[in-house]
Amino acid sequence: MTGKVYLVGSGPGGTGLLTQRAAEIIDAAEVIFYDQLPGEEILSTLPARAEKIDCGKFGGRHTLEQHEIESLMVDRARKNRVVVRLKGGDPFLFGRGGEEIETLKAAGIETEMVPGVSSALAVPASVGIPVTHRKYASQVTILTGHEDPAKPEPALDWKLLAQSRGTIVVLMGVANLGTIARALLANGKDAGTPVAIIERGLRKDRRVTTGSLSTIGEVAVQAGVKPPAVIVIGDVVRLYDPAQPDLIPPGDT
């Protein structure tokens, strides 16, 4: 007999936007693979009886490599355990959920996906930035900031991105922000395009840093911007008003 693995999205931070289904599955878990992205408010609610395995990644240092995580999930499921792989945001949006599904299917492990509210949408919304707006943007592109524009064969089409009139949302992009901005500028993006960096999702210490595409790299360095952060590039950022109350209140952490 084998157990079952649930790939659970914890949302953008805090229990307020954790789905009811996700909360139910977490409460029933016997093994939980987690990292730091769900945040302390959610991690503090993990059941005491469950085996907890830290899969965190800190500044390039991985507690466990991806293949090790997948191997351990298969191992625990084959021991007839209820396994939860807890991820920030949604497991299928730059969360390696697709890779894990492939491994689990190949091993014959029953798997269920529990979607989460993506930080790509919720975090900008929390500070009054809609990723689409009839006046400013009719499309949105979400990309990973781990893609280095300077490498010989980048997977992203920077010319196409620069020419887009829509919003660009960058996840995991703090380290490469300056390089991303230069790539967009080099391919024709307006230097005055507004940019917002929202650090720490829905936590109480959330912070917003703004600038133009031509200045944001330097501004971010001067402000000491650190991950995790969601970066929004496009005219929708003009709707951000620092005097406006948060549209999605931060959580308890």
Side-chain angles (χ1 to χ4, degrees):
M1 294 180 62
T2 61
K4 184 173 181 177
V5 175
Y6 295 86
L7 301 185
V8 178
S10 67
T15 56
L17 291 180
L18 182 71
T19 67
Q20 182 176 340
R21 177 61 174 164
E24 291 171 351
I25 294 300
I26 291 169
D27 189 57
E30 295 175 300
V31 184
I32 301 175
F33 291 83
Y34 70 96
D35 57 36
Q36 71 276 19
L37 290 178
E40 287 301 321
E41 185 177 347
I42 289 175
L43 295 180
S44 67
T45 68
L46 302 184
R49 68 180 182 280
E51 178 188 5
K52 302 172 189 68
I53 300 174
D54 185 355
C55 304
K57 300 174 182 178
F58 306 91
R61 179 179 62 83
H62 296 187
T63 306
L64 292 171
E65 298 297 336
Q66 184 63 28
H67 70 90
E68 294 175 310
I69 297 170
E70 293 170 6
S71 177
L72 286 170
M73 286 196 293
V74 170
D75 173 75
R76 296 304 191 271
R78 283 179 171 164
K79 291 176 179 176
N80 201 28
R81 311 286 294 279
V82 177
V83 179
V84 166
R85 176 68 171 106
L86 186 62
K87 300 171 177 285
D90 183 89
F92 276 10
L93 186 59
F94 304 129
R96 293 193 169 180
E99 298 171 38
E100 292 170 357
I101 287 283
E102 287 183 299
T103 297
L104 294 164
K105 282 184 176 180
I109 305 298
E110 184 180 1
T111 309
E112 182 177 322
M113 165 77 169
V114 182
V117 177
S118 174
S119 60
L121 306 179
V123 170
S126 72
V127 297
I129 300 175
V131 295
T132 63
H133 187 288
R134 286 197 299 173
K135 182 178 179 181
Y136 296 109
S138 296
Q139 68 182 52
V140 58
T141 302
I142 303 171
L143 57 94
T144 170
H146 283 174
E147 170 72 15
D148 184 355
K151 72 182 186 182
E153 295 183 7
L156 297 174
D157 187 332
W158 292 99
K159 184 175 182 179
L160 183 64
L161 287 167
Q163 293 174 349
S164 168
R165 297 181 180 179
T167 305
I168 299 172
V169 177
V170 186
L171 303 181
M172 303 172 288
V174 170
N176 283 332
L177 177 55
T179 308
I180 290 168
R182 287 191 293 272
L184 291 170
L185 290 168
N187 283 281
K189 194 74 172 172
D190 188 337
T193 303
V195 182
I197 310 167
I198 307 108
E199 296 174 76
R200 298 182 289 275
L202 298 187
R203 287 167 33 176
K204 280 191 172 181
D205 58 350
R206 173 172 58 204
R207 181 174 69 153
V208 182
T209 301
T210 59
S212 67
L213 192 62
S214 63
T215 64
I216 196 62
E218 182 179 350
V219 168
V221 171
Q222 291 177 348
V225 170
K226 296 180 180 179
V230 175
I231 300 163
V232 185
I233 303 171
D235 286 337
V236 292
V237 174
R238 301 185 192 281
L239 296 171
Y240 171 63
D241 179 0
Q244 171 186 276
D246 294 326
L247 295 187
I248 303 176
D252 294 335
T253 56

